[in-house]
Amino acid sequence: MAITSLSSHLLESLLASLTLGRITALIVLFTIASFAIDSTRKPTYPKSLPRVGYTGGIGATIRNWMNLSNYHNWVEEGYNKYGKHGRSFVTPSSPSQPDEIVVPQEQIAWMLEQPETVASTQESHKDVLFGTYNFFNVDDHFPTKVMHKHLARNLVTLLPDIQQEVAESIDIAFGTDTENWTTLNLWEALLAIVPRVMNRLAVGRPLCRNQAFLSSQVGFADDVFRNCLILTLFPTVLHPLVGRLVTLPNWYHFHQGYRLLKPVIEQRLRDYERFESGESQTPPEESLITWLIRQAKADNLPHEQTPYMIAMRLLPIEFAAIHTTVITLHALFLDLLASDPAKDYLSILREETTTVLQSEPNGIWTKNGLARLYRTDSAIRESMRLSTFSTGLTHRKVVAKEGITNPFEGWHAPYGAILMANMSVQHDADIYEDPKTYDALRFSKVREEYEARSQEEVEERGKDTEEALRIKRLGVVTTSSEFLPFSHGRHACPGRFFVAHEVKMMLAHILQNYEIKPIAERPRPTWVAHTIIPTLDVKIEVKRRQPKN
Ligand code: HEM
């Protein structure tokens, strides 16, 4: 009895002492202590590795945080001071996340050749994207493996469908008024086009046209971005709680989409069975759903063949595909529309796409036709070179217990260290002449000059296979340590072949069917840490061209 009254007395006085001010102070103290603990758990790097940003203790960490918009300048500064001269350097990060070791270009191949058990791609993606929370922990390599195995080989047969989705979605987004200029928000117009076209590939028709489904997928992708930002602001100890709370919208968007997706997947599973058993002669429609089923059967993975699991597997691919493409297209339009009017790039690309399309059978794009769009390809590659939306998109997490030793410089990185490839190389004047200028024909000029060589020249220089190979490697899908928007090596983006076709078709359709007014000055995006926040309010003016008789 005495004990009960003592404990209730203690509880009462404890509650009475909890004023709002004290609770706030407790939370602040707890957060600072948790961040301090996180900082001590970060992998430590050798002192010999130079650093960029503010250095030296907690004060520097706070100043680095307050200068998140300066991060990309530090990475560029590190490139010029160290990377360019073959040296790695370290960039700061939040107190809960490992700092990054940025390796120079000549070491990228070494970094990317490491086995998954030494420097892991999957683990770095999981950490960067907080996959445990954002993708409900259904976040292994399976859908990525499916993309690497099935996309490129099925793409050719999908081209006519992709072309149709491109044309129809642009006509809806850009309108059909041939008399008046229409003002469009560029970001929103692209968001009305890209998810539909991408979902022809992911889920097929007619679901790729269902606005409620598309909104759920875009909503989910937005959730992932927002949550990544929020979770970096919290110490690790709070992630299990905050991670579950902030991903409630992810669940909502997943279930919104799943309601519409479930019958489609069930039908695809039935179509697959009927075709496999010989009951039907019609193969199931080719799409990511079908490839996931095909691979799950090949690997004998029954749990991968349920509608729920297949729907879960689509999530990381939708995320990887939608905003990356919209951001890339947004930058491409701004680069083209704000380019020197004397260069008249739009007319050049209009002429090229029109001429090549006229030679295509029935006006339907083929792989060969799209490959002949040298100038259009160059305009896309050049925008991805100049206006890259990140300082570094290639990360690897050291997962070998004993860490990893760099054979070039001798430094050792412990378990948990993050290695990164630097995209500042794309702005290096020693590699790209006049690197800050958008030169849409930068890569096609070289290709066209090579192809225009006279017969004598060809004979004189022999077969010149090395030169031919170099020229061939100037296409947008070809990655290298000097062109990294799609990363490089065996994990380079498998979606890039699709992106290249999709963006060329979009440019072709827009330029052939619309006039677009140039813009006086290219709006500059805002940088937050690694990534840009595009200027979402940019408007463009378009008018449908009169059909030719
Ligand atoms: C312009 C648009 C895109 C850009 C700039 C882009 C860029 C990238 C980058 C930088 C990576 C990281 C690779 C690494 O860690 O080394 C990646 C991975 C990936 N991307 Fe893309 N991507 C784009 C569009 C797409 C599309 C449309 C799809 C699917 C249709 C896609 C599917 C993937 C997948 C599955 C991976 C994981 C690859 C792996 O881990 O092996 N991406 N992408």
Side-chain angles (χ1 to χ4, degrees), residues 147 151 158 161-162 165-166 169 190-204 207-209 213-214 217-218 286-289 291 313-326 495 498-499 502 506:
M147 290 299 289
L151 175 64
L158 291 178
D161 283 15
I162 294 171
E165 297 307 326
V166 163
S169 56
L190 294 171
L191 260 185
I193 300 164
V194 171
R196 169 170 165 172
V197 179
M198 188 270 158
N199 271 290
R200 166 58 197 90
L201 181 92
V203 302
L207 193 57
C208 69
R209 296 169 182 176
F213 175 72
L214 297 179
Q217 303 307 295
V218 174
E286 291 297 341
S287 75
L288 179 52
I289 296 179
W291 308 333
R313 292 309 200 175
L314 290 176
L315 295 174
I317 306 297
E318 296 270 355
F319 170 77
I322 294 177
H323 286 359
T324 46
T325 311
V326 173
F498 165 70
V499 172
E502 172 191 26
M506 280 180 66

Side-chain angles (χ1 to χ4, degrees), residues 348-349 351-353 356 365 367-382 438-452 468 471-476 504 507:
I348 292 173
L349 303 188
E351 199 206 315
E352 181 186 66
T353 53
V356 177
W365 286 111
K367 188 180 167 201
N368 285 342
L370 290 164
R372 296 209 316 275
L373 296 177
Y374 286 178
R375 295 175 179 187
T376 313
D377 189 289
S378 171
I380 303 166
R381 182 173 162 110
E382 170 68 348
Y438 178 71
D439 175 1
L441 308 182
R442 183 185 293 274
F443 303 105
S444 56
K445 271 184 276 196
V446 190
R447 292 171 89 175
E448 288 181 44
E449 275 164 21
Y450 181 80
E451 301 229 326
I471 307 284
K472 207 169 163 234
R473 295 180 63 79
L474 292 178
V476 66
K504 283 179 193 170
L507 275 181

Side-chain angles (χ1 to χ4, degrees), residues 121 125 141 144 147-148 198 201 317 320-321 324-325 328 384 389 393-394 396 485-487 491 493-495 498-499:
T121 308
H125 288 174
H141 197 60
T144 295
M147 290 299 289
H148 279 290
M198 188 270 158
L201 181 92
I317 306 297
T324 46
T325 311
T328 300
M384 294 184 83
F389 61 82
L393 289 161
T394 311
R396 298 294 177 260
F486 290 119
S487 190
H491 287 285
C493 176
F498 165 70
V499 172

Side-chain angles (χ1 to χ4, degrees), residues 296-336:
K297 286 190 184 289
D299 294 351
N300 195 18
L301 300 171
H303 68 280
E304 294 287 352
Q305 296 171 39
T306 66
Y308 191 76
M309 195 60 173
I310 292 171
M312 280 269 166
R313 292 309 200 175
L314 290 176
L315 295 174
I317 306 297
E318 296 270 355
F319 170 77
I322 294 177
H323 286 359
T324 46
T325 311
V326 173
I327 276 191
T328 300
L329 274 161
H330 196 257
L332 171 63
F333 274 97
L334 295 185
D335 285 336
L336 277 171

Side-chain angles (χ1 to χ4, degrees), residues 246-368:
V246 294
T247 49
L248 289 175
N250 300 43
W251 277 111
Y252 171 73
H253 286 126
F254 169 69
H255 282 283
Q256 228 187 12
Y258 183 55
R259 197 170 44 85
L260 301 159
L261 200 48
K262 189 172 177 233
V264 174
I265 302 176
E266 284 170 344
Q267 184 61 47
R268 202 68 55 80
L269 281 161
R270 279 194 295 273
D271 290 348
Y272 202 97
E273 295 296 344
R274 292 180 67 235
F275 182 67
E276 283 259 283
S277 66
E279 200 183 315
S280 158
Q281 300 306 309
T282 318
E285 183 180 22
E286 291 297 341
S287 75
L288 179 52
I289 296 179
T290 310
W291 308 333
L292 285 163
I293 299 171
R294 192 170 290 145
Q295 195 59 44
K297 286 190 184 289
D299 294 351
N300 195 18
L301 300 171
H303 68 280
E304 294 287 352
Q305 296 171 39
T306 66
Y308 191 76
M309 195 60 173
I310 292 171
M312 280 269 166
R313 292 309 200 175
L314 290 176
L315 295 174
I317 306 297
E318 296 270 355
F319 170 77
I322 294 177
H323 286 359
T324 46
T325 311
V326 173
I327 276 191
T328 300
L329 274 161
H330 196 257
L332 171 63
F333 274 97
L334 295 185
D335 285 336
L336 277 171
L337 296 178
S339 59
D340 179 357
K343 305 268 187 200
D344 206 6
Y345 290 139
L346 292 187
S347 304
I348 292 173
L349 303 188
R350 179 176 287 137
E351 199 206 315
E352 181 186 66
T353 53
T354 309
T355 314
V356 177
L357 189 59
Q358 274 164 359
S359 67
E360 290 283 77
N362 305 319
I364 307 286
W365 286 111
T366 61
K367 188 180 167 201
N368 285 342

